[in-house]
């Protein structure tokens, strides 16, 4: 877990968050040990800003990684408190990550709060609803 935290923390410097000054980093760990990071990338047209979690997940899928390859995800920011994934990220996480995958929220001291992916979005809309 420490290694995953260090990966996420190290990637924070790549956050492009000049409008909010709120840096977010996500480190996605695969079952084979591979780690892919993502950071938030903002835009002057604010609504086009991209979240760290979704950047990590879409980068992974773009490399051929699939849902069942993913073990867990860890988020970090510069804050002393725990930041949890936004609603849009939760919807994408339930689509692209295993329901039982742990989601670790960490603060700037490296403290960790863990929940399961499925518990972040109860009654989620999924492919089963189609
Ligand atoms: N942000 C994320 O990267 N992930 C989240 O789950 C919450 C919000 C980013 C978006 C924006 O760049 C900044 O945090 C402030 O909302």
């Amino acid at each position: 877990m420490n290694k995953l935290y260090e990966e996420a923390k190290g990637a924070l410097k790549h956050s492009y968050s000049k409008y909010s000054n709120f840096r977010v980093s996500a480190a996605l760990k695969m079952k084979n040990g591979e780690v892919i990071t993502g950071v938030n990338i903002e835009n002057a047209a604010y609504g086009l800003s991209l979240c760290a979690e979704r950047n990590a997940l879409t980068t992974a899928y773009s490399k051929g990684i699939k849902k069942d390859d993913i073990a867990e995800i860890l988020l970090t920011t510069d804050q002393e408190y725990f930041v949890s994934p936004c609603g849009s990220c939760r919807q994408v996480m339930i689509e692209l990550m295993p329901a039982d995958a742990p989601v670790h929220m960490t603060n700037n001291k490296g403290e960790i709060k863990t929940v399961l992916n499925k518990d972040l979005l109860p009654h989620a809309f999924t492919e089963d609803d189609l």
Side-chain angles (χ1 to χ4, degrees):
M1 187 64 61
N2 270 357
K3 182 180 174 289
L4 201 56
Y5 175 71
E6 291 306 325
E7 293 260 7
K9 200 174 162 191
L12 266 182
K13 60 179 175 291
H14 302 306
S15 166
Y16 182 81
S17 43
K18 59 197 290 185
Y19 303 105
S20 71
N21 289 315
F22 190 83
R23 304 192 305 171
V24 185
S25 175
L28 188 65
K29 189 175 180 190
M30 267 46 79
K31 288 174 183 161
N32 69 4
E34 184 182 358
V35 173
I36 289 177
T37 57
V39 294
N40 56 331
I41 307 291
E42 298 187 344
N43 194 285
Y46 299 159
L48 298 182
S49 296
L50 303 168
C51 286
E53 300 90 318
R54 280 178 278 164
N55 280 336
L57 279 164
T58 54
T59 298
Y61 270 68
S62 300
K63 289 164 62 91
I65 288 162
K66 301 282 190 292
K67 190 175 208 168
D68 286 339
D69 300 326
I70 296 173
E72 56 194 341
I73 191 167
L74 179 147
L75 318 180
T76 201
T77 69
D78 298 303
Q79 314 307 316
E80 289 178 5
Y81 51 87
F82 298 103
V83 171
S84 68
C86 77
S88 297
C89 285
R90 292 175 192 209
Q91 180 66 32
V92 172
M93 286 160 61
I94 204 65
E95 175 80 28
L96 301 181
M97 287 176 57
D100 286 324
V103 178
H104 308 289
M105 293 164 261
T106 68
N107 61 12
N108 65 0
K109 290 177 265 182
E111 294 165 334
I112 298 179
K113 191 165 96 178
T114 299
V115 296
L116 296 184
N117 190 22
K118 64 184 176 193
D119 293 332
L120 279 175
L121 193 61
H123 311 291
F125 178 79
T126 69
E127 60 188 307
D128 297 336
D129 294 297
L130 296 174

